[in-house]
Each structure stands twice: as C-alpha cells, then as structure tokens.
C-alpha cells in the first residue's frame, strides 16, 4: 500500500520560543494589548496566522517592522506538520471508487494524531480529530484502546483542515467540501476548542471559509453538551453514535452510555430539534449478532420516532484483535428494509479505507503513539 513519510520524528523542532499557535483568540488579543496595539491588530494577527497561514512574522506586511520584531523576539510559529500519508489502493472491482487517504499529523509537542480524506464524486470530506487519544474507551474503537492523551488546541484542529485541504488538491485536484468530527476523541469533551476552531474555519473573510452547515459534529451522546451545542447558535449538523437502542447493549459498546440513559438522550435530541429546527443523525454500525436483529430494528424505530432523526448505517472497519465483525449484507438488507417500512429516512455509508486502517485510531496506534 502506498505510504509517504514527510517528517523525520528524530529531528527536534525549534522549541526555544513558545508557539503562538497555542494561543486562542482572546490570548492573541492579550499579546497585542501588552504590546500597546489596538484591537484590530489582534484580528490582523489571527488572520495572518489562520487565513494566510504565515510561517514567519516577517511575512506580516501590514505590521510595522518594529512590531514584527517584537513578536519574533517572543514567539515562534509552529503549526502541525504532515508526518505520513497512506492512500488506499484503487479497487478495480468497484467502478467509480475513489481511494481514501489517511494522514498522520505531528503536533508541536510530538503528539501524533490522524485525519482522513474521504472523496466521492460530489464531495471531499475531511474526517478530523478533536483529541489525542480518548478517555471513553468504546469497545469497538482503536482510539478508545489508546486511552486519553490530551485535548487538541483550536489551532491543532484547524491545522488538520488546512493540511488536508492542501493534500486534497495535491492528491485529487480538488479541495475539501465537508468536514466531520469523527476522528480521534470525543469532540464534545473539547467543546470550547471545537467552537473556536469552527469559528476560524467558517470565518467569511478567511481563505478557507467553509459553511457551518458543511460541518458535522459526531458524539457518543453526551447529554449536557448536546444542550450546549443546541443553545450555541451553531448551525453545524449533529450526529449521535447510537449503535443500539437497548441500554445494556449500548453500555457494553460505549461505557459512558451508563451516564446518559436512552430516555435522557431522547429528551436531549428533542430539545436540540426544538432549539435548532434541525434533525439529528443517528449513526448505527451494524455488528453481527449484536445490533442487527429485528428486535433492535424495532427499538431503533421507536427511539428515532421520539424526535426528528435520520439514520446513517455504517460498515464496521474490522479492527484486528477485537471480537466484533461487520454485519452480513443480507442481514443489513433486512435491517434497512424494516427501517424504511417504518417510514424512517435511512442512508447507508459503505466502508471506505478499510485497507488503510481508517477506523479511528488505527494508524496512530500502529505508529506507536500509544506508549
Ligand atoms: S468511538 Fe469516539 S468516543 Fe468512543 S473511544 Fe473512540 S474516539 Fe472515543
């Protein structure tokens, strides 16, 4: 399988000055105020860093030479860097199939995280991470097996989008059209940084400038944070990994579900529907003998109809050494049929990237980031 490595992990990065990209907008304002600058200069600095992707203060031509020097004396600019790219081999047996690419990115402190480009005829979707590792330990997930390492900063979240957009142009000749936060980590456990990253990525005057509606936030179903998103005014889409409408099965797959019973989750979904006027997507990964039964289809139907919900069935990318296996396709057909007959809106996402370990956490795990 084609793999390209871009950076040498044994080469230390210049760490003598603090990295200005670790600062959020408020902290950037604080820096500029401390230098006696007016508020609009802080906005300009943010724009240089995140719209123009400046790699040095010398590039910031709207600043005086003195200000550029003051900044360069105190700060360095060290964005995330591309470490490794793996592109799935083309599948001749699948006409129209466009290979998925997976990226390992190196953060300033050496932490490795992963992001995925999922191309289709109409879209170029970037699947981004929100945390390095994850504390929630879902039993089907490679990232969950790594444990939690740390939250990503807003800058590290946006850097994934910038780097993947550049790579999308290089590999596929077109840029990112959609973003999903379904990579490493639970985005709702890093909500402040996620909000700030989305604000930067959707900033109208900036070069990247994607619409909030083209961004999907995916969660295992953290009830208080779903309420926070609903009240935030954010117009991005919300996807909830349901995977089972039986409390005991859900808890077995996602231990954190014990804190948020299905009734509480359903109430949160209805409140979200009411506040935003938008549906929620219930993500369901069919697992043989676990959640592909007629009883589960019936329970899912009942749960989905309590709110405004769509169903997204996904293939499971089999993870080595884990006990689950993807649902069989005849079982899947029966399952889909039952949902459709019940009047639910169902989409089916075929497995992409299984041959490049594209289930979240698998590339980072293999690269030894789980020490
Ligand atoms: S599925 Fe998501 S929330 Fe669960 S362990 Fe993996 S990264 Fe964390």
């Amino acid at each position: 399988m084609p793999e390209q490595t871009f950076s040498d992990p044994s080469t230390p990065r210049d760490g003598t000055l603090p990295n200005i990209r670790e600062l959020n907008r408020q902290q950037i304002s604080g820096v500029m105020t401390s230098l006696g600058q007016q508020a609009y200069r802080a906005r300009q600095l943010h724009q240089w860093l995140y719209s123009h992707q400046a790699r040095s203060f010398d590039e910031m031509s709207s600043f005086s030479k003195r200000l550029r020097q003051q900044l360069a004396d105190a700060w360095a600019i060290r964005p995330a860097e591309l470490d490794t790219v793996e592109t799935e081999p083309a599948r001749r047996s699948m006409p129209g199939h466009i290979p998925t690419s997976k990226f390992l990115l190196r953060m300033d402190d050496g932490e490795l995280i992963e992001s995925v480009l999922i191309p289709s005829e109409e879209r170029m979707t970037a699947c981004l991470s929100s945390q390095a590792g994850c504390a929630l330990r879902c039993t089907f997930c490679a990232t969950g097996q790594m444990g939690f390492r740390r939250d990503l900063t807003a800058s590290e979240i946006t850097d994934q989008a910038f780097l993947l957009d550049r790579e999308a142009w290089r590999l596929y000749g077109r840029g990112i059209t959609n973003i999903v936060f379904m990579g490493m980590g639970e985005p709702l456990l890093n909500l402040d940084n996620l909000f700030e990253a989305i604000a930067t990525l959707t900033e109208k005057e900036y070069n990247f400038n994607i619409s909030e509606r083209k961004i999907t936030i995916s969660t295992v179903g953290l009830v208080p944070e779903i309420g926070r998103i609903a009240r935030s005014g954010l117009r991005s889409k919300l996807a909830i990994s349901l995977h089972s409408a039986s409390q005991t099965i859900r808890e077995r797959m996602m231990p954190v579900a014990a804190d948020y019973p299905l009734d509480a989750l359903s109430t949160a979904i209805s409140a979200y529907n009411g506040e935003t006027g938008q549906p929620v997507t219930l993500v369901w990964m069919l697992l043989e003998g676990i959640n592909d039964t007629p009883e589960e289809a019936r329970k899912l139907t009942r749960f989905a109809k309590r709110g405004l919900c769509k169903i997204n069935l996904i293939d499971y990318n089999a993870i080595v050494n884990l006990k689950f296996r993807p649902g069989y396709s005849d079982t899947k057909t029966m399952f889909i049929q039952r949902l459709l007959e019940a009047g639910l809106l169902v989409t089916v996402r075929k497995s992409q990237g299984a041959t490049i370990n594209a289930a979240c956490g698998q590339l980072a795990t293999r690269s030894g980031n789980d020490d």
Side-chain angles (χ1 to χ4, degrees):
M1 95 191 34
E3 178 174 317
Q4 275 180 285
T5 300
F6 289 79
S7 68
D8 176 0
S10 62
T11 306
R13 303 176 74 184
D14 175 16
T16 49
L17 290 173
N19 184 4
I20 199 162
R21 292 183 73 110
E22 282 174 12
L23 306 185
N24 60 28
R25 270 184 201 249
Q26 205 180 349
Q27 291 165 327
I28 285 176
S29 295
V31 166
M32 291 306 246
T33 305
S34 72
L35 292 172
Q37 299 296 320
Q38 294 182 43
Y40 77 95
R41 289 291 188 197
R43 178 167 171 76
Q44 283 182 335
L45 177 54
H46 193 272
Q47 197 162 10
W48 275 113
L49 292 172
Y50 295 102
S51 182
H52 304 306
Q53 298 285 305
R55 298 293 297 242
S56 80
F57 294 105
D58 263 351
E59 293 172 44
M60 303 183 181
S61 53
S62 55
F63 292 167
S64 67
K65 201 169 171 195
R66 180 161 177 271
L67 177 57
R68 279 183 265 161
Q69 193 56 54
Q70 284 174 315
L71 289 167
D73 286 346
W75 300 97
I77 303 173
R78 292 189 298 269
E81 287 182 356
L82 192 54
D83 184 273
T84 310
V85 180
E86 277 186 40
T87 299
E88 181 191 25
R91 296 185 203 168
R92 286 205 195 94
S93 58
M94 291 174 63
H97 168 254
I98 309 172
T100 295
S101 294
K102 185 155 187 167
F103 304 85
L104 201 55
L105 307 184
R106 186 171 294 278
M107 305 296 106
D108 191 29
D109 63 355
E111 196 68 59
L112 292 172
I113 59 146
E114 57 192 50
S115 322
V116 184
L117 273 179
I118 307 163
S120 67
E121 288 290 338
E122 312 82 34
R123 295 177 180 190
M124 178 65 65
T125 303
C127 177
L128 307 185
S129 295
S130 53
Q131 297 179 310
C134 184
L136 299 191
R137 298 193 178 277
C138 301
T139 48
F140 52 82
C141 168
T143 303
Q145 316 301 305
M146 289 168 62
F148 178 70
R149 299 182 68 92
R150 68 173 174 82
D151 284 334
L152 298 185
T153 64
S155 174
E156 289 168 336
I157 296 171
T158 54
D159 278 353
Q160 294 171 71
F162 300 143
L163 278 169
L164 262 63
D165 190 55
R166 189 188 74 194
E167 288 298 299
W169 281 103
R170 184 178 73 84
L171 294 167
Y172 302 100
R174 54 197 167 107
I176 290 172
T177 60
N178 295 69
I179 289 174
V180 293
F181 286 100
M182 291 185 185
M184 297 169 78
E186 164 55 63
L188 271 58
L189 287 178
N190 189 16
L191 209 43
D192 288 337
N193 289 341
L194 187 77
F195 282 160
E196 173 147 341
I198 291 175
T200 300
L201 294 171
T202 58
E203 185 76 64
K204 291 221 167 7
E205 291 162 21
Y206 284 19
N207 286 328
F208 191 78
N209 181 21
I210 193 170
S211 156
E212 282 183 5
R213 299 291 305 151
K214 299 288 184 187
I215 297 175
T216 301
I217 301 169
S218 177
T219 175
V220 293
L222 308 184
V223 165
E225 286 78 11
I226 290 172
R228 212 181 134 198
I229 290 179
R231 293 185 298 274
S232 70
L234 188 69
R235 291 167 60 249
S236 296
K237 295 176 184 162
L238 184 66
I240 296 176
S241 298
L242 194 66
H243 301 323
S244 175
S246 306
Q247 183 64 20
T248 32
I249 297 177
R250 242 189 135 237
E251 284 180 28
R252 238 190 293 146
M253 295 172 75
M254 297 172 284
V256 74
D259 296 337
Y260 305 109
L262 284 162
D263 273 347
L265 185 57
S266 178
T267 304
I269 290 171
S270 298
Y272 177 91
N273 297 149
E275 193 87 45
T276 64
Q278 297 298 322
V280 160
T281 298
L282 301 176
V283 180
W284 191 279
M285 180 173 54
L286 271 179
L287 298 168
E288 183 194 350
I290 295 174
N291 63 1
D292 60 352
T293 61
E295 175 67 0
E296 279 287 320
R298 192 180 59 74
K299 286 183 171 177
L300 169 57
T301 301
R302 205 171 53 203
F303 183 88
K305 289 196 164 185
R306 289 171 70 181
L308 189 56
C309 299
K310 300 191 276 190
I311 315 294
N312 186 12
L313 293 177
I314 58 172
D315 275 345
Y316 176 60
N317 287 334
I319 299 172
V320 179
N321 294 333
L322 291 187
K323 56 185 180 246
F324 301 126
R325 289 291 174 267
Y328 291 132
S329 52
D330 54 345
T331 315
K332 186 183 290 181
T333 305
M334 179 278 295
F335 196 85
I336 296 168
Q337 199 57 40
R338 286 175 189 273
L339 302 181
L340 291 172
E341 281 167 8
L344 294 172
L345 187 60
V346 182
T347 54
V348 180
R349 198 173 82 216
K350 293 237 172 69
S351 171
Q352 277 186 287
T355 56
I356 58 160
N357 303 302
C360 65
Q362 290 184 67
L363 191 62
T365 305
R366 209 189 57 194
S367 297
N369 202 7
D370 53 341
D371 56 353

